[in-house]
Amino acid sequence: MSSALDEDTRATLDAGRETAGAMLRAAQKDLQKVFIFFLIGFLGTFYALRLYVWDFLKRVTRAQMSAGVSGDVSIIAQTPFDVILLQAKIGLVVGVVLALPVFLYFSRDALVERGLWPSSPVPVWQLVLIFLGMVTLFVLGVAYGYFVFFPFTFAFLAQNAIAAGFSPTYSIVKWAQFIFLLTASFGLASQLPLAMTGLSYAEIVPYETFRDKWRHAAVGVFAVGALFTPPDPFTQIMWAIPVLALYGVSLYLAKIVTTARRGSEKMDVAASVRAHWNVIAGVGVVGALLVYAFFERGGVGYVNDGLAAIGSDYVILAPSSTALLGGYVLLAGVAAAIVAVGYFVYHDLDDLAVVEAGVGDPSKIDLADLDADGVRAAPPEVFGALSEDEAMAAAGDALDAGERAKAQAIIDRFDEDGDSGGDGTDGAAAPAESEAATAAESGGSIGDRFSRASSTFFDEFGDDEESGGDSDAADGDESEFEGYYTDIAFILDSITSRAFRIVGLFMLVLAGTFGWLYTGGIKRVYEDFLSRLPAQVTPEEVLNVVALHPMEALVFEVKFSTIVAGIVTAPVLAYYAWPALRERNIIRQRQRAVFLWTGALAAGLIGGFALGYSTIAPGIISWLVNDAVQANMVIAYRITNFFWLIFFTTAGIGILADVPILMILLNSAGVSYRSMRGRWREVTVGVLAFAALFTPADVLTMFLVTIPLMAAYGIGLGVLFVVTLGGRRDLAPPRSVDA
């Protein structure tokens, strides 16, 4: 095993084992204390779940459900050990999290010896403030999840399952995993203000990066929301909107701390207070009066009514005495005044930075704050202070933001003023001349080189003439993999100008199919299919379909809609890609042959679907439940398993029938029998990838899909062997000889 690792890797592993052993030896005499903390976390969590948490989570789940929906929702244990094992797993995690800091503290001597312990300790009060900030933000994020997000989401998911004719019978394991995963996502997302301000203050990630890349952050938030939340727009928006608002607040806080750090030497709190003392005092008085009015005008009652409306048992209490009320009012006034002082200190620093950068030193102007016209109007000193790399980076940022005109303006101004800018001294002129000479030797100005470097990027979205490669050269010079890559790239380039239509059709079909299923289509299909089963197999007596996971019905609807959209979009995609396929010698027929292909494949798909839906699927399901009927058992199928079984035995029959048909069509288009026989490995990998994406997430189902498809592929090869006389006479021989 060690021989398979390089020397650096072995050294790293050895150092890690040595450090771990040293930590254990250093903390050996205190391991009992570490274990006590672990035990407290484990047992405390175990009994808290048993006595309080499960009931609380059930109340949260049903908080926004109507009485009828709430009565149909049940949470079950699939095995006798589900509950106790789940409590033990959660307790183990909490115990380890609680004991780990204690272990690190007691093993700090070993870390100090190896230089892994901070050499300059952070003051305790700063650590306490950071910890309190983290806890406060975490609590706020989790509170939003439990009092706003979860009640509405569970009500929506349960109503969707019931409307489709299924029973929302959640497995306690899957239900708890869903809740805890989203709890962690809200808790981590709530740390955004602390993380962004800390990174900006330390200049690890400058504030300007967070500011300029906000579009990327928005896309990232929705991408993460798609992973954590149900696949419907409503719940994704409920998750993403608060996080985006939090990003905006965090961005402003990052700007405040960055400005304060950069202007710390010029910060004058006393001067700011003297200049704005009247406004600060007024803000403090207003804050105190608002708190007084809240308690005296029934604010406590309104808040308690709101908490009760969302299903919370918590209440806030009014001050029990005049002295306590006065204390609250005084604290509110002081807090408001402190906030006002912070605002004016920051405001004065920001104004000072603007004056110094914009008036005293034009070279400090930030190009990111300017548009294309502002770049053209900027003073020459701005570009005289830039290096070529900085100018290219600024232009690249403008391209990323979709501002092509601004990017070109930056390059033009740098070519115009960059070489001649600066202070005009001889020492500055020499590097400029050298840089200009270098630019000339390399093929022109930076603008010329930038235009050439970015032409591919711009032309990719235009209608410029395509420059396809020579297939004969590919046969001679490229490896097999490079040939595949060249063909695929050429075909993708050919449909780039039609991508909007293709994607638009795909999304339209996906949305339409999902909307039909969501508004009752899946229920109508389910009821019609049950009517085709034998009379002894009725949903009331034997066959039930349940949702073990809150998102199970929605996930199936999305996957099924994606498959339908892909099938409908495939002919359009083939139509637009056909000329490129023909040019690369992959097919020989003309573009109108797409209609023949579509008709043949649609006929096979519809015929197989009709046969499966009317005969094969009901027969298979009746045979599967026969033993349960004989033993007087009740079967509860999961939505995912039941409907994928129906899909595989209906539409799956049509897809299997289409495989030999497609192979015959490909042979008539110029793909040889020998080529299809020699590429069976690539086909197998593609089928496995398809099965992994569009079937239930387990290995068994993936192979149950792959094996019949590959068997159909084998049948297609057999048919082609007969039709083509063993490959000696293809239906349409390709123009180039196969390798």
Side-chain angles (χ1 to χ4, degrees):
M1 177 67 179
S2 60
S3 61
L5 303 175
D6 57 56
E7 185 176 350
D8 291 338
T9 303
R10 290 199 299 270
T12 302
L13 292 175
D14 292 339
R17 285 195 295 266
E18 182 184 354
T19 301
M23 290 173 66
L24 286 172
R25 289 191 297 272
Q28 185 173 7
K29 61 181 182 299
D30 298 302
L31 286 180
Q32 290 181 347
K33 299 175 184 177
V34 176
F35 180 73
I36 289 173
F37 275 89
F38 168 80
L39 204 59
I40 291 172
F42 175 77
L43 294 178
T45 302
F46 190 93
Y47 284 100
L49 287 167
R50 180 179 179 181
L51 299 176
Y52 306 107
V53 176
W54 294 134
D55 290 336
F56 170 74
L57 294 180
K58 290 177 183 178
R59 290 198 301 271
V60 169
T61 300
R62 294 185 167 90
Q64 290 296 326
M65 296 180 185
S66 63
V69 173
S70 179
D72 289 336
V73 173
S74 57
I75 299 171
I76 64 170
Q78 292 180 269
T79 71
F81 302 102
D82 272 355
V83 178
I84 191 168
L85 287 179
L86 183 61
Q87 292 176 171
K89 289 178 181 178
I90 298 173
L92 283 172
V93 173
V94 174
V96 169
V97 170
L98 193 62
L100 185 59
V102 182
F103 173 73
L104 291 175
Y105 176 78
F106 286 126
S107 62
R108 65 189 183 280
D109 292 340
L111 297 175
V112 170
E113 292 177 1
R114 287 159 177 78
L116 300 176
W117 192 263
S119 57
S120 55
V122 179
V124 175
W125 67 271
Q126 291 185 8
L127 291 176
V128 172
L129 285 179
I130 294 173
F131 178 76
L132 290 177
M134 292 175 61
V135 172
T136 302
L137 291 172
F138 186 86
V139 170
L140 290 175
V142 171
Y144 170 80
Y146 280 91
F147 296 114
V148 179
F149 183 84
F150 283 132
F152 288 100
T153 298
F154 276 116
F156 166 76
L157 294 174
Q159 181 62 44
N160 177 63
I162 292 172
F166 312 131
S167 302
T169 307
Y170 302 146
S171 162
I172 189 171
V173 176
K174 300 181 184 300
W175 169 71
Q177 288 175 346
F178 177 69
I179 290 178
F180 291 138
L181 178 65
L182 281 172
T183 299
S185 74
F186 280 116
L188 293 176
S190 66
Q191 305 300 310
L192 203 57
L194 195 61
M196 286 178 60
T197 53
L199 292 172
S200 298
Y201 185 82
E203 290 289 340
I204 297 174
V205 180
Y207 155 74
E208 288 78 12
T209 301
F210 289 121
R211 180 196 63 191
D212 297 338
K213 303 298 183 183
W214 65 270
R215 296 178 182 84
H216 302 77
V219 173
V221 167
F222 277 97
V224 173
L227 294 176
F228 282 113
T229 62
D232 68 279
F234 176 72
T235 49
Q236 288 184 11
I237 290 173
M238 282 188 67
W239 191 93
I241 292 301
V243 178
L244 289 176
L246 203 59
Y247 185 86
V249 173
S250 304
L251 192 61
Y252 186 72
L253 292 176
K255 181 180 180 182
I256 291 176
V257 299
T258 300
T259 303
R261 187 190 62 80
R262 294 173 181 174
S264 58
E265 296 179 357
K266 301 172 183 178
M267 183 183 299
D268 192 343
V269 179
S272 298
V273 172
R274 286 195 300 270
H276 308 285
W277 67 268
N278 52 341
V279 179
I280 294 172
V283 171
V285 171
V286 170
L289 290 176
L290 288 176
V291 172
Y292 178 79
F294 173 80
F295 286 115
E296 290 296 316
R297 297 296 180 180
V300 173
Y302 292 133
V303 172
N304 288 335
D305 291 342
L307 291 173
I310 62 174
S312 174
D313 295 331
Y314 298 103
V315 295
I316 62 173
L317 302 176
S320 57
S321 64
T322 304
L324 188 57
L325 175 61
Y328 287 162
V329 171
L330 180 61
L331 287 175
V334 172
I338 292 174
V339 171
V341 170
Y343 170 78
F344 284 117
V345 170
Y346 161 72
H347 189 270
D348 292 343
L349 283 173
D350 198 31
D351 288 345
L352 181 62
V354 171
V355 170
E356 290 182 345
V359 178
D361 187 0
S363 65
K364 297 297 185 182
I365 293 177
D366 189 354
L367 291 178
D369 296 332
L370 304 178
D371 57 11
D373 293 334
V375 171
R376 297 187 186 98
E381 291 83 357
V382 176
F383 302 94
L386 292 178
S387 66
E388 180 177 333
D389 291 340
E390 290 171 340
M392 291 291 289
D397 290 339
L399 282 180
D400 291 341
E403 299 174 338
R404 180 180 179 181
K406 177 180 175 180
Q408 192 61 53
I410 292 173
I411 298 304
D412 292 341
R413 287 301 310 275
F414 183 81
D415 284 338
E416 178 183 349
D417 299 320
D419 292 341
S420 60
D423 55 6
T425 62
D426 295 337
E433 293 174 1
S434 175
E435 188 174 332
T438 303
E441 291 174 0
S442 62
S445 67
I446 179 178
D448 296 334
R449 299 200 305 278
F450 180 81
S451 298
R452 289 196 297 272
S454 60
S455 61
T456 302
F457 174 82
F458 292 129
D459 294 342
E460 181 181 353
F461 299 98
D463 296 326
D464 296 333
E465 185 178 357
E466 298 168 355
S467 56
D470 187 353
S471 60
D472 294 334
D475 292 336
D477 300 333
E478 295 174 344
S479 66
E480 186 176 11
F481 176 79
E482 291 171 340
Y484 287 149
Y485 175 81
T486 302
D487 288 343
I488 292 173
F490 181 76
I491 294 168
L492 290 178
D493 287 342
S494 70
I495 62 175
T496 297
S497 61
R498 309 292 185 178
F500 181 80
R501 296 182 182 180
I502 296 170
V503 174
L505 176 63
F506 180 87
M507 297 304 298
L508 185 65
V509 175
L510 189 150
T513 306
F514 178 81
W516 176 72
L517 292 172
Y518 179 76
T519 55
I522 193 171
K523 182 178 182 179
R524 291 192 290 272
V525 172
Y526 174 57
E527 292 175 346
D528 181 73
F529 183 79
L530 289 180
S531 67
R532 300 175 183 276
L533 298 179
Q536 66 268 25
V537 182
T538 58
E540 291 83 6
E541 298 175 2
V542 175
L543 184 60
N544 295 281
V545 179
V546 300
L548 292 181
H549 191 283
M551 296 197 307
E552 197 159 4
L554 277 175
V555 169
F556 172 79
E557 291 168 358
V558 170
K559 284 190 174 184
F560 182 79
S561 302
T562 303
I563 292 176
V564 173
I567 292 174
V568 173
T569 308
V572 179
L573 181 65
Y575 182 82
Y576 288 129
W578 202 272
L581 292 169
R582 194 164 183 262
E583 185 172 345
R584 301 301 288 185
N585 286 326
I586 298 175
I587 56 176
R588 290 193 60 183
Q589 295 172 333
R590 297 189 178 275
Q591 197 173 27
R592 61 177 177 267
V594 172
F595 302 106
L596 173 64
W597 284 45
T598 302
L601 294 174
L605 183 64
I606 294 172
F609 175 82
L611 176 65
Y613 191 78
S614 61
T615 305
I616 296 177
I620 289 177
I621 292 178
S622 299
W623 175 74
L624 291 174
V625 302
N626 181 63
D627 290 339
V629 173
Q630 298 297 326
N632 294 322
M633 294 181 181
V634 175
I635 296 178
Y637 280 121
R638 292 185 61 179
I639 292 175
T640 302
N641 297 335
F642 183 73
F643 277 95
W644 281 119
L645 177 61
I646 294 177
F647 177 82
F648 293 149
T649 52
T650 55
I653 303 300
I655 294 174
L656 292 177
D658 271 347
V659 172
I661 295 174
L662 178 62
M663 295 173 68
I664 294 174
L665 291 172
L666 287 172
N667 187 257
S668 67
V671 181
S672 68
Y673 162 76
R674 296 180 183 277
S675 177
M676 282 188 275
R677 187 186 65 184
R679 305 302 182 198
W680 68 270
R681 298 176 183 85
E682 291 87 339
V683 174
T684 303
V685 173
V687 172
L688 282 171
F690 171 84
L693 289 174
F694 298 109
T695 63
D698 61 85
V699 177
L700 178 62
T701 308
M702 186 172 69
F703 281 103
L704 287 177
V705 172
T706 302
I707 291 173
L709 285 174
M710 292 310 300
Y713 190 81
I715 293 174
L717 288 177
V719 172
L720 281 177
F721 181 83
V722 174
V723 172
T724 64
L725 302 178
R728 291 187 292 274
R729 184 178 297 176
D730 289 320
L731 299 180
R735 281 175 282 185
S736 60
V737 180
D738 290 332

